[in-house]
């Protein structure tokens, strides 16, 4: 049983964040997923008991949100944005290259349990298109070959670092972060990147800045 | 004279440790907080009202007015909820703000909570962006340790708790009432309004729901005042805006400028359309607002001018597509998105997105029916205004705008698959010049 006493104690601590206990259901589901790699029937029963809900009420939540998985996910969840902007700027080709390499399609897991592949929706990173995610960590500005290289390196057990975050761990570790976000990794991924600094750099080059506060002009 | 770039929120993003408390303080951070706590809360609401700041999440509702709807002295708890569920296709400015400068958001949260008399604030961040969630959560902890969050903040007598909440993949939760249902532990489905959240929001008590960028404006407003704020933008669209320019431009990225800058000016700062390309169509603020073509490159990016042009400023995150892109395929992909993200509560949206997507997919394969050109408009008309929330309206938006500007392309797609007319590889950004 993966939902041991320590997981249950962590679940109980989540409840304290909210004025009403039911609000804890989403982070509790993330935590259950971090322990079991999916949201199991048992996890939903445990959460329902702890929150004094019916299993049906928890199931209703667990089946509504895309990130909760009712089947085991591979060690790594690979997502490729194929919404219009990323997809048409190359995400479609990135996705095709990964289906070729991994031999699986959307929402399928490789036989060795290493990778689950998904077409995902807009990740709020259109300036970094085409966008891929590994265990939801950003892998920005991909090409078909760079994406294949990422999964090859992960398959060999090598370290792969997110373009704007920490070294890739695994799907379950990210799910734990979503339940307990202050995981000590906030400093990873460093400073703002080229896309985030694009306008600031142009402003510096052209000597542009915001107007001074009236009466405080230097 | 060209509109200059005016970095305010983004002015110090090149400071490597800006996301830490020390980094933010070195750039002047947390100076607005003591100033605000010395003010009467109503005076802060009045100040925000006077700036004319409008919500940066898409709808553009005046922020100070929203705050003033919260009944005071009602004996009920009040809540501030920050909508950080940025999921609109094309929108990519709140996640960078949270990654680069989470403390500015937190300082805004504390001041805004004080103004509306909320002692508990929630930041609802979409679950797919763990690094943004980490940075905000770490900022909350640092602010707690510094005494900016907690009991009797800076000796003011004001108490505040801040809870960071991870979403789990649902575009609909960017709609404020769906977000509240989600935060209460339900499926994220919109509520009928009225009552509005300011009266009956989270747990049915007065709640203000504001976008990340909106709240991040607050420290600068407190520090620099109304007169300064109104030096930016227009009478009806005052202030600065974190524009995020994406698509076929040389330097996609974040460009902060006064409202009223034009797309042509933003394009110039972004290095122009990529080599050999020209603007075929562009969308000012997310896939939920109607597309425009080259004719509107000189239209000011303000709420009022965009409305006059038949579209909306939306999230202020323009997507630019050049001639290599099929408008039929673009619209089909957006409708597949809305179909996937429809919460299913309202029949017109749930069924309409299904039928529209099916018809559009036939066009994409070159099997579109002539009669469907008008039928699609009719179906969109049956969705528009007939669902609880704006997702239905959004789903009914891309096709009518596209067929008005590019009818020939849809006609062509009754005979020829769009991938033949528009070879996909031509649209990719990594073929010619290599990966960025």
């Amino acid at each position: 049983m993966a939902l041991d006493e320590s997981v249950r104690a962590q679940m109980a601590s989540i409840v304290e964040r909210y004025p009403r206990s039911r609000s804890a259901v989403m982070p509790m589901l993330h935590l259950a997923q971090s322990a079991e790699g999916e949201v199991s029937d048992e996890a939903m029963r445990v959460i329902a008991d702890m929150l004094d809900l019916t299993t049906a009420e928890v199931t209703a939540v667990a089946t509504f949100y895309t990130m909760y998985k009712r089947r085991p996910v591979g060690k790594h969840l690979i997502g490729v944005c194929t919404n219009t902007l990323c997809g048409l700027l190359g995400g479609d080709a990135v996705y095709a290259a990964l289906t070729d390499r991994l031999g699986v399609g959307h929402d399928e897991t490789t036989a060795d349990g290493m990778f689950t592949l998904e077409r995902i929706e807009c990740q709020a990173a259109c300036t970094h298109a085409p966008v891929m995610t590994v265990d939801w960590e950003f892998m920005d500005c991909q090409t078909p070959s760079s994406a294949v290289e990422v999964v090859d390196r992960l398959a060999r057990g090598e370290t792969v670092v997110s373009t704007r975050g920490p070294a890739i761990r695994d799907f379950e570790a990210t799910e734990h972060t979503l339940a307990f976000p202050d995981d000590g990794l906030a400093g990873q991924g460093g400073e703002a990147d080229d896309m985030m600094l694009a306008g600031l750099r142009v402003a510096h080059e052209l000597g542009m800045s915001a107007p001074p506060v009236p009466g405080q002009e230097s | 004279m060209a509109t200059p770039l005016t970095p305010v929120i983004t002015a110090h993003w090149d400071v490597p440790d800006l996301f830490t408390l020390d980094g933010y303080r070195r750039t002047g951070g947390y100076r607005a907080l003591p100033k605000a706590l010395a003010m009467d809360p109503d005076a802060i609401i009045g100040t925000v009202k006077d700036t004319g700041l409008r919500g940066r999440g898409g709808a553009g509702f005046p922020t100070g007015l929203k705050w003033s709807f919260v009944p005071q002295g009602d004996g009920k708890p009040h809540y501030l909820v920050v909508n950080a569920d940025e999921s609109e296709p094309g929108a990519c400015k709140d996640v960078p703000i949270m990654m680069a400068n989470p403390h500015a958001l937190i300082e805004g949260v504390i001041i805004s909570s004080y103004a509306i008399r909320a002692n508990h604030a929630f930041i609802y961040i979409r679950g797919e962006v763990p690094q943004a969630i980490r940075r905000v959560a770490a900022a909350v902890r640092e602010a707690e340790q510094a005494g900016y969050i907690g009991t009797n903040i800076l000796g003011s007598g004001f108490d505040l708790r801040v809870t960071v909440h991870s979403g789990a993949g649902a575009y609909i939760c960017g709609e404020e009432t769906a977000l509240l249902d989600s935060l209460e532990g339900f499926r994220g489905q919109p509520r009928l309004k009225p009552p509005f959240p300011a009266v009956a929001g989270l747990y049915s008590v007065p709640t203000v729901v504001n976008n990340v960028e909106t709240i991040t404006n607050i420290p600068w407003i407190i520090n620099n005042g109304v007169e300064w704020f109104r030096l930016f933008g227009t009478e009806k669209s005052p202030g600065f805006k974190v524009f995020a320019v994406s698509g076929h431009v040389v330097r996609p990225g974040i460009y902060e400028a006064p409202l009223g800058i034009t797309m042509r000016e933003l394009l110039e700062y972004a290095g122009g359309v990529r080599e050999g390309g020209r603007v075929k169509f562009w969308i000012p603020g997310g896939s939920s607002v109607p597309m425009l073509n080259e004719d509107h490159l000189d239209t000011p990016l303000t709420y009022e001018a965009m409305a006059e042009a038949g579209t909306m400023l939306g999230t202020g995150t323009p997507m630019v597509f050049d001639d290599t892109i099929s408008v039929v395929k673009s619209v089909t992909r957006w409708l597949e998105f809305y179909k996937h993200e429809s919460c299913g509560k309202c029949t017109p949206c749930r069924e309409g997105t299904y039928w529209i997507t099916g018809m559009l997919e036939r066009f994409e394969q070159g099997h579109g029916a002539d009669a469907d050109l008008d039928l699609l408009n009719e179906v969109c008309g049956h969705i528009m205004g007939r669902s609880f929330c704006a997702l239905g309206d959004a789903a009914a938006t891309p096709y009518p705008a596209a067929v008005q500007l590019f009818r020939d392309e849809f006609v062509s797609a009754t005979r020829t698959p769009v991938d033949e007319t528009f070879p996909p590889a031509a649209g990719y950004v990594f073929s010619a010049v290599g990966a960025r």
Side-chain angles (χ1 to χ4, degrees), chain A residues 74-156:
Chain A
K75 182 177 186 213
H76 297 292
L77 178 63
I78 310 291
V80 180
C81 178
T82 53
N83 203 304
T84 303
L85 189 122
C86 272
L88 274 54
L89 263 64
D92 287 354
V94 170
Y95 176 78
L98 288 172
T99 57
D100 280 356
R101 188 61 162 199
L102 299 175
V104 294
H106 171 69
D107 199 21
E108 293 175 358
T109 301
T110 54
D112 62 0
M114 269 299 278
F115 299 105
T116 298
L117 182 64
E118 276 189 339
R119 294 163 58 110
I120 55 175
E121 299 296 0
C122 187
Q123 294 296 297
C126 316
T127 44
H128 296 63
V131 170
M132 173 167 93
T133 60
V134 177
D135 307 326
W136 298 115
E137 310 287 359
F138 279 123
M139 298 300 296
D140 302 311
C141 305
Q142 292 298 307
T143 67
S145 57
S146 70
V148 166
E149 192 190 332
V150 165
V151 296
D152 283 354
R153 286 172 57 196
L154 289 169
R156 292 195 297 266

Side-chain angles (χ1 to χ4, degrees), chain B residues 280-425:
Chain B
K280 177 176 174 181
F281 63 101
W282 64 284
I283 305 200
S287 59
S288 301
V289 311
M291 64 175 62
L292 299 169
N293 61 13
E294 272 188 321
D295 295 346
H296 284 104
L297 288 179
D298 294 312
T299 307
L301 288 158
T302 61
Y303 298 97
E304 63 275 15
M306 285 293 118
E308 205 171 308
T311 183
M312 288 186 285
L313 182 66
T315 50
T317 51
M319 291 183 276
V320 178
F321 297 92
D322 72 11
D323 274 329
T324 61
I325 295 297
S326 157
V327 77
V328 175
K329 191 168 184 167
S330 301
V331 170
T332 306
R333 206 61 73 87
W334 280 316
L335 260 298
E336 286 168 348
F337 165 79
Y338 290 114
K339 175 188 155 200
H340 181 252
E341 299 298 335
S342 174
C343 79
K345 182 166 185 162
C346 308
T347 307
C349 171
R350 182 187 64 243
E351 299 300 317
T353 52
Y354 172 83
W355 286 102
I356 293 175
T357 304
M359 283 191 271
L360 285 174
E361 283 169 350
R362 288 202 295 275
F363 278 94
E364 190 178 338
Q365 290 148 19
H367 303 307
D370 287 323
D372 284 352
L373 285 168
D374 294 328
L375 183 59
L376 275 164
N377 266 329
E378 198 184 319
V379 176
C380 289
H382 288 310
I383 300 176
M384 186 65 81
R386 293 194 165 115
S387 297
F388 270 36
C389 86
L391 193 150
D393 294 347
T397 293
Y399 174 78
V403 78
Q404 196 182 349
L405 290 175
F406 301 101
R407 192 177 179 93
D408 289 353
E409 263 186 54
F410 285 89
V411 171
S412 158
T414 60
R415 297 181 299 272
T416 314
V418 296
D419 279 359
E420 281 180 29
T421 319
F422 296 91

Side-chain angles (χ1 to χ4, degrees), chain B residues 251-267:
Chain B
R251 284 188 302 274
I254 302 290
Y255 295 82
E256 192 173 3
L259 287 163
I261 195 169
T262 65
M263 191 65 230
R264 194 183 301 281
E265 291 169 325
L266 277 180
L267 264 176

Side-chain angles (χ1 to χ4, degrees), chain A residues 29-52:
Chain A
L29 285 165
H30 279 304
L31 188 65
Q33 201 157 245
S34 80
E36 299 191 302
E38 65 174 318
V39 175
S40 67
D41 290 348
E42 190 218 344
M44 292 192 289
R45 276 196 297 274
V46 168
I47 291 169
D49 282 348
M50 293 181 80
L51 297 178
D52 202 18

